[in-house]
Amino acid sequence: MRHFFDPHLVNDVFGDPVLYVDFLEERRALLFDLGDIRALPPRKLLRISHVFVSHAHMDHFSGFDHLLRVVLGRKNAVVLFGGPGFIAQVDHKLRAYTWNVVHRYEVELVLEAREIGTDGRLQRARFSSRAGFVREPCAALELAGDVLHDEALFRVRSRFVDHGTPCLAYAVEQKAHVRVAKDRLAALGVCTGVWLRELKGAVLAGAPAATPIQVRWRDRQGEHEMNRSVGELHDLVLDVVPGRRVGYATDLCFTEANVQTLEQLFGGVDRLFIESVFLDADRDHALRKNHLTARQAGEIARRVGARSVATFHFSPRYEGREQALIAEVDAAWSGPQGGVPADAS
Ligand SMILES: [Zn+2]
Ligand SMILES: [Zn+2]
């Protein structure tokens, strides 16, 4: 089945955590974390409209330079989100270079940094190539609950978890949408036509049920036409489908507060991407490092009701033993439907 978006991990389980969410029909993408992104070809980097950084440890932020180098002179805008201190971190990255020629580039690049405070406020600043990437402040925004970014067809939510430092976990959610039930269309004896687009548009815009729709179509017998209302047609040929939901959580310790935060963010997600850095035999070490063990990751996946799980960010000490980590996640999760194994893609 073709989805509205397709999330995949850019690196293998021992590489830096980076999730690329490809919006197949829109020629654009979202990026979660910005560590080593060299595996992404420039054409894929150029599709990125928004980057969501969990925290600024090097394995999550060192790819900033590579992204900037690829998009500079070729793309107009990239918006980057991060936690406390993020605007200064972006500013410092930019200040590390000499920008005496970029103001002449034909394509202006504007980087917008958005910093999520633990108080629910969103500070913003912009950096334009025309001005040598000098920091320009923008008005702060008040966030609506945990919704960080909202578009017509999808939203991104986020919440802080504890990693010895505040770290953001993210959820990407396609909004509920309407789908044409082709079999019922045939049973009704009508064919597709422009009227279906009108109907979908009316439903999505919340038009009253009595709104008339002229159903017109053409087949071998010629032109046909009938008048129906939005309400009638909605029930007859449209299904409201819940949107696909994907969760991304990395770099956190296993505390009850963290698990509850993830339950609020991820309840019932279709796919959960979650770190499992250590085997549970090394759980004391995991706690000291503020990371999850594979068993803890599986337990979180079970508690949030994830329908499928992908795991990553394995410690190099387990090189050659990745199956042991995956099996441990799987055993603790053993999905709600059972039988669907955790994987690492
Ligand atoms: Zn990390
Ligand atoms: Zn970290």
Side-chain angles (χ1 to χ4, degrees), residues 18 48 50 92 131 141 155 242 265 276 312:
V18 184
I48 295 169
H50 298 74
H92 290 137
L141 298 174
R155 66 174 77 84
L265 189 60
S276 57
F312 57 94

Side-chain angles (χ1 to χ4, degrees), residues 72-73 98-109 128-134:
L72 184 59
T98 303
W99 302 113
N100 65 315
V101 291
V102 289
H103 64 280
R104 286 193 236 124
Y105 286 15
E106 200 172 315
V107 179
E108 179 189 15
L109 172 65
S128 163
S129 59
R130 288 277 146 83
F133 291 116
V134 165

Side-chain angles (χ1 to χ4, degrees), residues 122-178:
L122 193 73
Q123 306 287 341
R124 297 186 303 155
R126 72 195 285 281
F127 304 85
S128 163
S129 59
R130 288 277 146 83
F133 291 116
V134 165
R135 173 175 174 169
E136 301 166 47
C138 308
L141 298 174
E142 208 70 48
L143 285 174
D146 62 6
V147 177
L148 190 59
H149 179 70
D150 199 8
E151 295 194 18
L153 300 178
F154 75 95
R155 66 174 77 84
V156 177
R157 294 164 56 226
S158 78
R159 284 178 185 246
F160 283 105
V161 287
D162 179 27
H163 173 48
T165 183
C167 180
L168 288 155
Y170 293 102
V172 196
E173 303 179 340
Q174 179 186 12
K175 294 182 181 175
H177 56 287
V178 289

Side-chain angles (χ1 to χ4, degrees), residues 54-60 163 165 167 250-252 275 289-291 313:
S54 62
H55 64 307
H57 280 159
M58 285 194 83
D59 53 330
H60 299 258
H163 173 48
T165 183
C167 180
T250 188
D251 294 59
L252 64 147
E275 74 158 22
K289 295 272 191 176
N290 290 299
H291 278 293
H313 212 353

